[in-house]
Amino acid sequence: MKITVVGSLNYDLVTTVGTVPQGGETVQAIDFETHHGGKGANEALALSRLSKEHDIHLVGCVGNDVFGKELTGSLTSAGVNMHVQTVDESRTGTATILVEQSGENRIMVYAGANQHVTTERFPESEYFPSDFILLQNEIPLETTFSIISQSRNHKTATVFNPSPIPKTSFAEYPFSDYIVVNETEAEALTGVPVPSVEEAYKALPLLLKQCSCAVVTLGSKGVVWMKQGEEKPGFQPAISLGKVVDTTGAGDTFLAAMCSQLASGRSMSECMRFAAAASGIVVTRRGAASSIPEHDEIIAALK
């Protein structure tokens, strides 16, 4: 199977603090690290590590700088087929991440070269034909929407995480095969607060207006999903595999793990269990790309 990710490549600057400073306040940081990130790059790397039998491709842009060269070199070494262009107009995208000791994170993203991922720069032949395409919202929204719309003509399944949530009305989204959101994103799209599994169930039918299958991840509460035509939603408890130290990259890894199993013909319940274990490993490690597990680690964790 060919799986193509169209998305962002960022260089992450991670500062760990006891508590996030208030306005005008200075606090002593506990640690500082740099990591490779960006939703697109994270997903492509996760797919490469989690699905050796699939052909993984990444479409995106970086700046003509040290960050860009390091990112593309690392992904190439990981076995990802690169369709990544270097642009001189912008620097490589960055994410400045504040991580509290509790594991919660706050992320500030500079789009940079990711803004140049357009359908004018990348013709259809860069991502079609593909069996699956993974998309998010760290590239221009019109690019994402255009690819989702085009996918129907190419019989390509789309897996869409609309994060960060744009101001565009959910009713204006093109129809996707799979929409995957966390509790905050689900509320933003549907208007339904999802503080619990029961409330998340209520959001699923509203999400299904724009997709064939809706998935809502709930962190430590697990994940729920539902397909069109099914009467009952599914539920997968979270899989705890150690102390939570950093949630960065957990959502991207979950999405990639889910897609890798879909491409292998697994049922939704099997996909969710595998993805829950993958994200359960990620949160026990620091960084985004550096925390992504290998396929065999997940199999071992599920035994």
Side-chain angles (χ1 to χ4, degrees), residues 42-64:
N42 289 343
E43 291 161 10
L45 179 60
L47 280 163
S48 181
R49 289 182 180 175
L50 300 175
S51 52
K52 300 300 183 183
E53 70 271 29
H54 301 311
D55 192 20
I56 311 304
H57 295 251
L58 174 62
V59 176
C61 287
V62 295
N64 188 13

Side-chain angles (χ1 to χ4, degrees), residues 166-300:
K167 295 181 179 179
T168 304
S169 167
F170 185 48
E172 297 177 17
Y173 280 36
F175 194 87
S176 305
D177 292 284
Y178 299 87
I179 285 182
V180 183
V181 291
N182 63 24
E183 59 266 62
T184 303
E185 294 156 357
E187 180 177 354
L189 293 179
T190 66
V192 175
V194 288
S196 67
V197 171
E198 290 71 23
E199 294 301 317
Y201 286 152
K202 297 177 183 178
L204 290 174
L206 299 176
L207 292 169
L208 283 172
K209 293 180 179 180
Q210 297 301 122
C211 63
S212 298
C213 179
V215 179
V216 180
T217 60
L218 301 164
S220 61
K221 301 181 187 73
V223 57
V224 300
W225 73 91
M226 192 172 187
K227 287 186 176 182
Q228 284 199 4
E230 293 184 346
E231 295 183 1
K232 294 182 178 180
F235 171 68
Q236 167 64 50
I239 297 177
S240 177
L241 296 169
K243 180 183 177 182
V244 175
V245 298
D246 185 0
T247 58
T248 309
D252 299 332
T253 301
F254 181 96
L255 194 71
M258 168 187 152
C259 188
S260 73
Q261 296 304 289
L262 287 172
S264 296
R266 306 288 192 268
S267 67
M268 279 301 292
S269 60
E270 291 173 314
C271 292
M272 295 298 100
R273 185 166 178 263
F274 186 87
S279 56
I281 292 174
V282 168
V283 299
T284 66
R285 303 170 177 174
R286 296 197 181 279
S290 57
S291 68
I292 298 169
E294 297 285 346
H295 178 272
D296 290 348
E297 291 183 77
I298 300 175
I299 299 303

